[in-house]
Amino acid sequence: MDGSIDDKSEDSPSSSGSSQPQNLSTVVHTITAVPTAIPNQPVEEDGEGHLVRTDTDIGIEKRREILSRRPSYRKILNELSSAEAPGIAKIEEDKEEEAAITSIQTTIPSYVQTSAGQTIQIAAANQNELTTQGLQTITMTNAGQGAVTAAAMPAGTTIVQYTQGDGSQQFVTVPAGEVQAYQIRAPSSLPAGVVMATPTGITSPQQLAEESARKRELRLMKNRVAARECRKKKKEYVKCLENRVAVLEQQNKALIEELKQLKDLYCHKNE
DNA sequence: GCGCCCGTCCGTCATCGTTG
DNA sequence: CAACGATGACGGACGGGCGC
């Protein structure tokens, strides 16, 4: 288990939380999906000096019970909207999210590092443009696969391809033998906006350790983004539910009013 | 000004469901 | 079945309001 809860400040460059703009208008009325009275988890050290949670068997069961999965917000909402509430908009596989990802990736890496430890800039043409518009995708290809650039490349050249926010594609080439494969990462030791790429073919324990550290950082980075997205979705979901409540209240009022009128009508007829 | 409380945001971990 | 994405839970940071 690599779960450590004592390393937050070191391994997350953005976790300082300094002057994060607070979302002013989001008053989330609590909609409790599951009981959340989870007892404090006991904590102890693992072999490596990391603090880890230790659940008792009962604790695990209880936790599992509590954590029993609900469908995703999108699913719930889409089911709701398709089944009975035409007024409620579906949450789509949204463009908004893509936009958000683009903006997140704006802060990501515009450099790769060669096996020689040399950092090369991905932003071939215009670094400013890259950093303002952001990377959308980064893909690695071997020479010969990229039809456009392959012609101009010496055989065996590794091509690093990325797509900018405006859809235009940029390529960076690395001489054959210089690099075999890259893993993208944003290590906390590097300034924001720098990506590391390191070769595979690791043999020594130290390299293994570095490799696993890299993997961990990558995983954390992805999860960070995923958590952001998830929260965004959750907010949308809650907003939609609130809207739905408002609509239903309105309908309820109207129905009560109608019932009242019909009753009056009925009474007058009988008189 | 200071301490306390509360609400919000964020990163991380654990876990589940999905997908290739 | 491993890898990955989604998400609940947790804890820390931060800001605002309030009483002293």
Side-chain angles (χ1 to χ4, degrees):
Chain A
M1 175 158 145
D2 64 356
S4 62
I5 57 174
D6 56 349
D7 57 355
K8 286 185 180 177
S9 53
E10 292 107 48
D11 90 338
S12 95
S14 56
S15 70
S16 60
S18 59
S19 69
Q20 289 272 12
Q22 304 277 323
N23 195 341
L24 300 172
S25 63
T26 48
V27 179
V28 176
H29 305 283
T30 317
I31 295 177
T32 316
V34 289
T36 55
I38 297 176
N40 283 339
Q41 308 276 338
V43 170
E44 66 180 20
E45 262 192 75
D46 66 7
E48 300 167 28
H50 293 142
L51 296 178
V52 296
R53 294 199 184 102
T54 58
D55 290 307
T56 63
D57 290 346
I58 297 171
I60 289 170
E61 263 181 42
K62 204 168 186 181
R63 189 176 162 83
R64 287 227 168 120
E65 208 175 299
I66 289 166
L67 286 177
S68 66
R69 287 281 146 159
R70 302 171 63 238
S72 75
Y73 301 120
R74 183 174 290 154
K75 253 187 207 168
I76 296 170
L77 205 65
N78 287 348
E79 276 168 20
L80 278 177
S81 58
S82 61
E84 50 173 317
I88 295 178
K90 284 192 177 187
I91 297 179
E92 297 166 14
E93 297 295 332
D94 32 343
K95 293 155 196 167
E96 238 181 83
E97 281 183 16
E98 278 174 29
I101 288 173
T102 299
S103 66
I104 287 162
Q105 288 178 334
T106 296
T107 63
I108 298 187
S110 38
Y111 295 83
V112 296
Q113 191 176 60
T114 68
S115 59
Q118 173 192 9
T119 300
I120 57 173
Q121 194 175 350
I122 287 184
N126 185 342
Q127 161 69 6
N128 289 334
E129 190 180 337
L130 176 73
T131 51
T132 52
Q133 296 196 356
L135 295 171
Q136 244 186 4
T137 61
I138 299 177
T139 56
M140 308 302 170
T141 60
N142 289 324
Q145 291 178 338
V148 177
T149 49
M153 294 298 137
T157 301
T158 300
I159 301 169
V160 178
Q161 173 198 359
Y162 68 91
T163 308
Q164 283 189 225
D166 61 1
S168 63
Q169 302 214 323
Q170 302 288 340
F171 298 88
V172 163
T173 63
V174 182
E178 176 94 22
V179 172
Q180 287 163 359
Y182 285 105
Q183 279 198 325
I184 304 300
R185 69 166 189 154
S188 51
S189 56
L190 290 178
V194 174
V195 151
M196 294 283 291
T198 53
T200 57
I202 289 161
T203 51
S204 77
Q206 194 189 347
Q207 280 176 317
L208 274 175
E210 282 175 8
E211 185 61 15
S212 66
R214 253 195 304 281
K215 278 184 181 171
R216 175 178 151 79
E217 276 173 11
L218 183 65
R219 183 164 42 80
L220 291 182
M221 195 173 73
K222 281 183 177 176
N223 190 241
R224 204 150 48 223
V225 173
R228 254 177 241 148
E229 287 302 306
C230 185
R231 286 180 181 121
K232 196 175 137 197
K233 244 187 291 180
K234 188 175 184 177
K235 271 187 189 172
E236 285 172 12
Y237 169 69
V238 170
K239 270 184 196 165
C240 285
L241 284 184
E242 286 172 350
N243 286 344
R244 186 155 180 260
V245 166
V247 167
L248 289 176
E249 276 176 350
Q250 209 57 33
Q251 286 177 353
N252 197 33
K253 260 186 198 170
L255 286 172
I256 288 171
E257 193 60 33
E258 196 182 338
L259 178 65
K260 202 177 163 190
Q261 285 172 1
L262 289 172
K263 268 185 184 170
D264 282 351
L265 197 65
Y266 180 74
C267 288
H268 284 127
K269 259 193 176 176
N270 276 355
E271 281 171 7

